């Protein structure tokens, strides 16, 4: 009988199979891929019964040749996106070949070529009861000139000298490039792994002091763009989920119409059994396993389908004979809920999800939407009272626990340790302090980097790795982020500039809110200064300047350590490369002169790396005081990292106090109507008290 199968897949450039390979396969031909240099030959296969390329409007006539069409597609789709879409459909065995061809042609015309796609049809039939069609589709429309349309246009985020951003296509930008500049990537210290910012040429030239640490990197100059750019609306519609559903539905309708014309009673349905309201399990498509199954070999797909068929047979018997009473249905539902529940409460939730209302008690009762009366579960049997169900759930949970106790214990132990780490990290300012906190909480650690592990002290438990969120790097980063967030939480806030607050001018309620907020901030500032023991503007200015200086000095110390750490990491990498490639260089020195050139070519990469690493370590030995020892360098890196973390904690504390004092200073200048810090001398002369 007719079956329904409609499998839609998109094929990307990164897929193992190219459009050339797929075309050669479905057309049972021999094709050469100019890009990869590979040749695909399926010409010896004999199951191709029909092949055709159906063209859309505007498509050149030579695209009728599938080799020309897909060679052109292979050339055009040279990015990392999708290159073709395939549709595989099963054909009704009740139709002859001419009728099957007509069926596929009608489907392709109504759904694909009519909206701008070219389609390559290939029908395969090995006379084994599995006739099917492959349909390959192009993914771009063709314009009136016979050229492929764009999938997406790049949209550059441009900026003018006033700092205003505007999104422009390449053609739009060329017309206004004197006014609008593209934003190009700059990397801090010229490091690809470092911070990246986007700047226009004007911004970089006028902000030399601000951006002096940021450099361009050759080969990494892609301008800032809007993600996805301007996408072709037609292609968006082709990729829409509802479009796929419409294609699937139309294939079912076309099969049913064809069967109806031949007065064949069978019908197919594109919907899942669940959507059709049928209590039946779906089978899987056999594909290549069909031949093995036919020849008597069992396959995984076949085994799955046999199990499904057995279950469906039971369901069909139930449906055909209508022998299940409401009590028998309830019994099946209770058994099913017990089998998947780990507690009685979970069992009740499972039964409710099956649309049962429940009355609890010694004789628990259930009522389904199919029945107007409650059924006492005791009437089903002694194993269905509330106490019996609870016991069955408990026994099931106990059996599971007995089966996998070590796994559960390990999982529980990991969760407990992770919770302890989370709790201890909240009060830590450095990674070393976190480890001390854990020691105090009864935990110990070993290892470093990605392999730091933890366990409870004074136990024989094994040390546990807690995953990617609990590596040394992740924990250090968490502490750093924690300190940063704490530094942002200041006691005082900046005043709202009401005079330049445009929205407040047109909104009296907003203006009143801004005034009330400013009054509260002024009071907070006075309280803050009182806590700091500051009573005059001069004292405030001196204290703010002192903290600004300390913060800057601390920041410079951190930068100095970071520079040292970069040098150490680079030298460690050079030493590791030297050690790894040294054996190849030793071999090279021993090779006879006549064979040296060939040996060098065969081992060019290793020898080049060795030479570069050797030069780097020699320079480091001559120009720096760093030891040329991997072990000592790793120890030094650990010590410097700990020192940097400690300095960073101090720096964030200084920065927070500096920020608070600067905000307070700005607030007092506005309260005392001091236009700039230089006018602090007038405040001193007036001896204005801040209290």
């Amino acid at each position: 009988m007719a079956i329904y199968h409609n499998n839609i897949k998109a094929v990307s450039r990164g897929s193992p199979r190219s459009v050339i390979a797929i075309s050669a396969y479905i057309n049972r031909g021999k094709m050469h891929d100019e890009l990869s240099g590979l040749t695909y030959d399926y010409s010896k296969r004999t199951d191709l019964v029909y092949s055709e390329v159906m063209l859309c409007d505007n498509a050149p006539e030579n695209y009728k040749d599938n080799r020309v069409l897909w060679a052109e597609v292979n050339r055009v789709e040279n990015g990392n996106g999708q290159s073709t879409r395939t549709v595989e459909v099963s054909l009704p065995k009740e139709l002859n070949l001419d009728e099957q061809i007509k069926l596929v042609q009608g489907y392709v015309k109504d759904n694909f070529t009519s909206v701008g796609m070219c389609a390559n049809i290939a029908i395969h039939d090995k006379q084994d009861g599995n006739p099917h069609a492959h349909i390959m589709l192009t993914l771009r429309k063709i314009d009136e000139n016979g050229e492929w349309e764009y999938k997406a246009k790049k949209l550059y985020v441009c900026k003018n000298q006033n700092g205003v951003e505007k999104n422009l296509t390449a053609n739009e930008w060329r017309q206004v490039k004197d006014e609008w500049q593209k934003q190009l990537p700059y990397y801090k210290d010229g490091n690809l792994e470092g911070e990246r910012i986007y700047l226009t040429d004007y911004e970089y030239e006028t902000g030399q002091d601000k951006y002096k640490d940021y450099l361009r990197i050759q080969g990494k100059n892609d301008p800032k763009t809007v993600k996805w750019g301007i996408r072709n609306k037609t292609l968006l519609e082709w990729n829409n989920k509802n479009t796929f559903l419409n294609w699937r539905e139309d294939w079912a309708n076309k099969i049913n119409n064809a069967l109806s014309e031949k007065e064949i009673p069978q019908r197919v349905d594109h919907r899942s059994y669940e959507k059709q309201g049928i209590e039946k399990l779906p089978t899987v498509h056999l594909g290549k396993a069909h031949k093995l199954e036919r020849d008597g070999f069992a396959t995984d797909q076949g085994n799955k389908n046999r199990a499904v068929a057995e279950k469906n047979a039971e369901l069909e018997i139930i449906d055909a004979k209508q022998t299940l009473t409401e009590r028998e249905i309830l019994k099946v539902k209770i058994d099913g809920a017990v089998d998947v529940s780990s507690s009685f409460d979970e069992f009740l939730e499972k039964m409710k999800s099956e649309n049962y209302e429940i009355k609890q008690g010694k004789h628990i009762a259930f009522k389904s939407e199919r029945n107007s009366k409650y059924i006492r579960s005791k009437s089903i049997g002694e194993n269905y009272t509330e106490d019996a169900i609870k016991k069955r759930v408990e026994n099931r949970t106990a059996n599971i626990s007995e089966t996998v106790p070590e796994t559960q214990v390990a999982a529980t132990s990991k969760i407990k340790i992770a919770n302890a780490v989370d709790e201890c990290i909240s009060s830590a300012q450095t990674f070393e302090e976190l480890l001390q906190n854990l020691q105090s909480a009864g935990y110990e650690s070993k290892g470093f980097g990605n392999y730091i592990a933890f366990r409870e002290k004074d136990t024989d438990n094994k040390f546990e790795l807690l995953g990617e969120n609990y590596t040394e790097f992740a924990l250090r980063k968490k502490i750093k982020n924690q300190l940063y967030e704490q530094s942002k939480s200041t006691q005082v806030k900046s005043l709202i500039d009401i005079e330049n607050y445009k929205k407040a001018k047109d909104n009296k309620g907003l203006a009143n809110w801004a005034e009330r907020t400013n009054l509260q901030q002024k009071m907070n500032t006075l309280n803050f200064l009182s806590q700091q023991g500051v009573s005059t503007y001069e004292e405030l200015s001196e204290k703010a300047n002192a903290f600004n200086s300390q913060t800057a000095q601390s920041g410079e110390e951190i930068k100095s350590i970071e520079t040292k750490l970069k040098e150490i990491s680079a030298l460690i990498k050079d030493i590791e490369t030297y050690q790894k490639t040294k054996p190849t260089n030793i071999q090279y020195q021993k090779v006879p002169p006549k064979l040296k050139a060939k040996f060098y070519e065969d081992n060019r990469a290793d020898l080049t790396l060795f030479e570069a690493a050797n030069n780097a370590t020699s320079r480091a030995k001559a120009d720096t005081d760093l030891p040329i020892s991997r072990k000592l360098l790793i120890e030094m890196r650990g010590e410097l990292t700990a020192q940097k973390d400690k300095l960073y904690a101090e720096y964030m504390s200084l920065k927070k106090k500096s920020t608070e004092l600067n905000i307070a200073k700005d607030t007092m200048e506005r309260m005392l109507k001091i236009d700039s810090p230089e006018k602090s001398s007038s405040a001193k002369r007036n001896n204005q008290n801040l209290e």
Side-chain angles (χ1 to χ4, degrees), residues 115 171 193 208 212 222 273 291 303 325 430 451 505:
V115 295
N171 288 335
E193 303 299 324
Q208 284 292 334
K212 63 182 179 181
D222 291 341
Y273 287 138
K291 183 179 179 182
N303 291 337
T325 65
T430 65
Y451 302 100
K505 291 180 180 179

Side-chain angles (χ1 to χ4, degrees), residues 479-617:
I479 292 170
K480 192 173 182 179
N481 291 341
Q482 187 174 277
L483 291 171
Y484 176 73
E485 290 300 322
Q486 289 171 1
S487 73
K488 293 199 301 183
S489 177
T490 57
Q491 285 182 251
V492 290
K493 306 290 183 185
S494 298
L495 297 181
I496 299 169
D497 187 1
I498 299 176
E499 291 182 5
N500 296 315
Y501 193 10
K502 293 181 180 180
K503 290 184 179 180
K505 291 180 180 179
D506 303 325
N507 189 323
K508 190 174 181 180
L510 195 58
N512 290 337
W513 168 83
E515 289 177 0
R516 288 196 305 273
T517 301
N518 278 354
L519 181 60
Q520 182 64 51
Q521 296 304 339
K522 290 174 183 177
M523 293 174 64
N524 291 345
T525 300
L526 292 173
N527 289 334
F528 169 73
L529 294 176
S530 176
Q531 293 170 10
Q532 301 301 314
V534 176
S535 58
T536 65
Y537 177 82
E538 184 183 34
E539 290 176 10
L540 172 59
S541 183
E542 288 177 358
K543 195 161 188 173
N545 290 338
F547 270 93
N548 289 343
S549 177
Q550 290 178 48
T551 304
Q553 185 178 347
S554 180
E556 290 301 321
E557 290 179 24
I558 291 172
K559 283 184 179 178
S560 175
I561 291 175
E562 286 178 340
T563 301
K564 198 76 170 176
L565 284 170
K566 284 182 182 178
E567 291 177 7
I568 290 172
S569 294
L571 187 52
I572 290 172
K573 187 174 181 181
D574 287 330
I575 291 172
E576 289 173 345
T577 302
Y578 176 88
Q579 292 171 344
K580 183 179 178 181
T581 56
K582 185 179 178 180
T584 306
N585 184 66
I586 292 173
Q587 283 183 277
Y588 177 62
Q589 301 303 328
K590 295 178 180 179
V591 169
K594 291 182 178 180
L595 301 177
K596 273 190 180 293
K598 184 178 185 309
F599 185 91
Y600 187 87
E601 285 302 319
D602 293 342
N603 299 275
R604 178 187 291 273
D606 278 1
L607 292 171
T608 303
L609 288 171
F610 173 82
E611 186 178 355
N614 189 33
N615 291 337
T617 52

Side-chain angles (χ1 to χ4, degrees), residues 672-688:
L672 300 174
K673 298 184 179 178
I674 299 173
D675 294 333
S676 65
E678 287 74 18
K679 295 188 178 180
S680 60
S681 56
S682 65
K684 181 181 178 183
R685 287 194 300 272
N686 293 331
N687 194 26
Q688 298 182 66

Side-chain angles (χ1 to χ4, degrees), residues 109-122:
K109 180 180 179 182
D110 291 349
N111 293 281
F112 307 129
T113 58
S114 62
V115 295
M117 301 182 216
C118 294
N120 186 175
I121 301 168

Side-chain angles (χ1 to χ4, degrees), residues 164-176:
V164 178
E165 288 190 339
K166 188 175 184 180
N167 299 334
L168 299 169
T169 63
N171 288 335
E172 291 170 342
W173 174 76
R174 289 190 191 97
Q175 298 172 17
V176 294

Side-chain angles (χ1 to χ4, degrees), residues 69-105:
L69 172 64
W70 298 116
E72 179 65 12
V73 169
N74 202 35
R75 180 190 66 81
V76 173
E77 304 292 0
N78 55 7
N80 293 323
Q82 297 174 354
S83 53
T84 184
R85 179 173 287 114
T86 62
V87 183
E88 182 183 302
V89 294
S90 291
L91 299 172
K93 293 183 287 185
E94 294 82 355
L95 306 182
N96 61 39
L97 178 59
D98 289 340
E99 291 166 337
Q100 290 172 345
I101 293 171
K102 183 179 177 183
L103 175 67
V104 176
Q105 287 175 331

